[in-house]
Amino acid sequence: MDNSEVYVGLDIGTTSIKALVCENVKGQIRVIGVGVEPAAGMSRGVIVDIDKTARAISSAIAQAEEKSNIDIKEVIVGLPANYLQMQRVHGMITIANNGQSREIVDQDVLDLAREALTQSIPPERTVIDLVPTEFTVDGFDGIKDPRGMVGVRLEMKGTLYTGPKTIVHNAKKAIQQAGYTVRDFVVTPIATGFNLLNDGEQDFGTLVIDLGGGQTTTSIIHDHQLKYSYVDPEGGQYITKDISTVLNTSLKNAEQLKRDHGFADSTQADDDVQIDVTVVGQDKPVQYSEKYLSEVIEARIRQIFDRIARQLDRINAPELPGGVILIGGVAALPGIRALAKQYFSGNVKVFVPEQMGIRHPRFAISYALALYEDRLSGIDRLIKQVVQEADFGKTTPDTNAGNREPQSQRSIEDSNNSVQKRTNQEQTTKKKDGSFSSKFKSLFNNLFD
């Protein structure tokens, strides 16, 4: 089968690795294969043993290959938001030929993106993504795609996402060792926020909480951008360990008890339902009530939600019209919505993919990764090309170098200062009324590192 329209999303989680094969059929994404393998060599979303992780990746993709009848060669890889930094960038180039305006082409966008990336990045960090927010042609702003327009000066504003080189290198190495190549690296909150939320949720603001096995990632999506991300170091693994410790049973049994009988909200569990638990050192199973088991689960989830809520309070995050979206394996626990509503305002819902065979919150990331790659626009793909050059040290000859004069803001501080100056000017002309819009301005102007 020709797999030019096939996308393989690879979610390398702490407890499991999911490989999802999706095919674009007449503009619609269809899942045609899935592979799930217990993770190995992972700790809190980060690869710590490349060999073990490579074997697990190979097994997960092999399962997906068998079910989809596709020979997989490349994958779209989700990167955790651990130590993610976001920076505003601004690039500008002159595209005139002998002082005369001309039509903007792909090469101009490539050169502009390179100029936007011309800044000092610490040696221990690497560029993961560059997301343009708008282009400006000769002072006319708000442009999404400047190609085909005529102008003299081209500018771009965007958000630069960087992460530790170690995380990116280890992921790339493990995938190569498994026998595959990386088609694209995507920060998981970007993939989920841009593709699992509808247009209104992305525009007005939504909180996405990924309740994973090794950690919990909270992201704010607003104005179709990732504006904030917070990683809590606890996840489903900690719930399993709590059950194992309190009930004195093995981790394997604890995980099964959590999946089969656990509730996130213990008030929804039945105190009269008794569960046989294999206890270490006992010849016969010991009975515990479903409610007691759920109280153990609820205690850990409350700790996680409480820390997230306090973190949001610390940054003065306003109530988001889009509410809260829960994804990840822990989000499948009954009663999770009711518990989340005690900590977060607005509507709360659990995202479950509608595709047959993956109707579970744990497949949200791998599904979003495939959607992300499929929905990239022509401009996005050009920017991605430059990001990959920056990441892998590639160079592309500039055939029009003699016809333009690069003029970028080479210091992120300059860009931030100009944005802050405009914000201050706006604030002097507008009365402070504590409105939702004002809160967002004050919040997001200070979130970028």
Side-chain angles (χ1 to χ4, degrees), residues 367-388:
Y367 182 56
L369 290 169
L371 289 176
Y372 174 89
E373 198 69 20
D374 179 65
R375 294 174 178 176
L376 285 176
S377 66
I379 281 289
D380 294 330
R381 295 185 189 281
L382 286 173
I383 301 295
K384 282 283 186 182
Q385 181 179 329
V386 177
V387 169
Q388 290 172 356

Side-chain angles (χ1 to χ4, degrees), residues 145-426:
D145 188 345
R147 294 175 299 174
M149 298 181 179
V150 173
V152 174
R153 188 182 69 219
L154 177 63
E155 299 175 67
M156 180 185 74
K157 294 178 182 178
T159 305
L160 176 66
Y161 299 92
T162 66
K165 279 186 177 179
T166 300
I167 291 178
V168 178
H169 170 81
N170 289 358
K172 181 184 176 185
K173 189 74 175 178
I175 291 161
Q176 289 177 337
Q177 197 162 307
Y180 305 95
T181 59
V182 177
R183 174 170 179 163
D184 197 0
F185 276 125
V186 186
V187 179
T188 52
I190 291 180
T192 55
F194 291 8
N195 295 282
L196 303 186
L197 308 183
N198 61 40
D199 189 68
E201 290 169 338
Q202 291 187 53
D203 190 17
F204 289 98
T206 301
L207 191 71
V208 181
I209 302 178
D210 176 13
L211 294 154
Q215 60 187 25
T216 300
T217 304
T218 302
S219 308
I220 292 177
I221 305 296
H222 175 252
D223 196 22
H224 295 268
Q225 299 175 59
L226 171 63
K227 293 293 183 69
Y228 177 75
S229 186
Y230 164 71
V231 178
D232 186 272
E234 295 183 4
Q237 269 188 336
Y238 287 80
I239 299 173
T240 302
K241 290 178 181 177
D242 290 344
I243 297 171
S244 175
T245 301
V246 175
L247 273 56
N248 198 26
T249 189
S250 68
L251 288 172
K252 182 179 180 181
N253 289 337
E255 180 67 23
Q256 200 63 44
L257 288 168
K258 180 180 71 175
R259 293 173 182 266
D260 295 344
H261 304 283
F263 285 78
D265 182 1
S266 62
T267 62
Q268 298 185 19
D270 194 335
D271 200 23
D272 295 328
V273 175
Q274 298 296 307
I275 308 166
D276 289 333
V277 179
T278 302
V279 175
V280 176
Q282 299 285 343
D283 294 331
K284 296 181 180 180
V286 177
Q287 286 194 332
Y288 291 95
S289 70
E290 183 181 80
K291 186 176 181 63
Y292 182 70
L293 169 67
S294 298
E295 286 174 347
V296 176
I297 295 172
E298 179 183 329
R300 178 63 67 174
I301 298 178
R302 280 190 178 278
Q303 288 184 9
I304 296 171
F305 281 166
D306 182 65
R307 283 194 297 270
I308 294 172
R310 284 190 282 112
Q311 181 69 14
L312 294 174
D313 286 341
R314 189 183 70 81
I315 64 170
N316 297 316
E319 180 178 340
L320 301 169
V324 180
I325 308 294
L326 304 176
I327 62 175
V330 179
L333 285 171
I336 193 73
R337 288 181 65 250
L339 193 63
K341 285 182 178 181
Q342 298 179 29
Y343 292 87
F344 311 106
S345 58
N347 184 44
V348 178
K349 64 180 180 181
V350 177
F351 177 85
V352 179
E354 297 179 353
Q355 296 277 356
M356 187 71 70
I358 61 167
R359 291 175 180 172
H360 193 284
R362 67 175 176 166
F363 290 111
I365 290 178
S366 53
Y367 182 56
L369 290 169
L371 289 176
Y372 174 89
E373 198 69 20
D374 179 65
R375 294 174 178 176
L376 285 176
S377 66
I379 281 289
D380 294 330
R381 295 185 189 281
L382 286 173
I383 301 295
K384 282 283 186 182
Q385 181 179 329
V386 177
V387 169
Q388 290 172 356
E389 289 173 7
D391 182 29
F392 302 120
K394 298 177 183 177
T395 57
T396 302
D398 185 355
T399 56
N400 296 316
N403 297 328
R404 63 173 58 85
E405 300 172 10
Q407 300 177 32
S408 68
Q409 290 190 1
R410 300 180 183 275
S411 170
I412 189 64
E413 287 78 10
D414 293 341
S415 179
N416 283 339
N417 288 340
S418 64
V419 172
Q420 190 61 53
K421 183 177 180 181
R422 288 196 305 273
T423 302
N424 292 338
Q425 291 173 342
E426 291 173 357

Side-chain angles (χ1 to χ4, degrees), residues 4-161:
S4 59
E5 294 273 85
V6 170
Y7 309 96
V8 183
L10 183 65
D11 176 16
I12 308 174
T14 305
T15 57
S16 65
I17 294 174
K18 282 80 69 177
L20 198 64
V21 185
C22 296
E23 182 182 17
N24 186 320
V25 181
K26 296 181 179 180
Q28 297 294 321
I29 285 291
R30 182 168 61 97
V31 177
I32 59 176
V34 60
V36 181
E37 182 72 13
M42 300 290 298
S43 176
R44 296 180 179 179
V46 177
I47 297 173
V48 294
D49 189 318
I50 293 175
D51 293 339
K52 289 182 179 179
T53 304
R55 288 193 290 269
I57 290 172
S58 181
S59 179
I61 296 179
Q63 294 173 38
E65 283 182 321
E66 183 178 358
K67 293 176 182 177
S68 63
N69 195 29
I70 292 286
D71 183 19
I72 297 173
K73 294 183 174 63
E74 56 184 17
V75 293
I76 302 109
V77 185
L79 289 176
N82 301 52
Y83 309 106
L84 180 70
Q85 289 185 1
M86 296 175 273
Q87 300 171 306
R88 285 193 178 100
V89 291
H90 175 212
M92 180 172 67
I93 61 172
T94 300
I95 58 175
N97 282 323
N98 299 321
Q100 298 296 319
S101 62
R102 63 171 177 79
E103 188 172 298
I104 298 169
V105 297
D106 286 358
Q107 187 63 50
D108 299 317
V109 176
L110 291 171
D111 294 335
L112 180 61
R114 293 190 187 102
E115 284 303 308
L117 289 178
T118 306
Q119 60 176 292
S120 177
I121 298 176
E124 72 277 6
R125 302 189 67 80
T126 188
V127 176
I128 298 176
D129 210 347
L130 172 61
V131 179
T133 54
E134 68 170 353
F135 292 88
T136 301
V137 178
D138 293 346
F140 294 95
D141 58 8
I143 298 169
K144 296 301 180 182
D145 188 345
R147 294 175 299 174
M149 298 181 179
V150 173
V152 174
R153 188 182 69 219
L154 177 63
E155 299 175 67
M156 180 185 74
K157 294 178 182 178
T159 305
L160 176 66
Y161 299 92

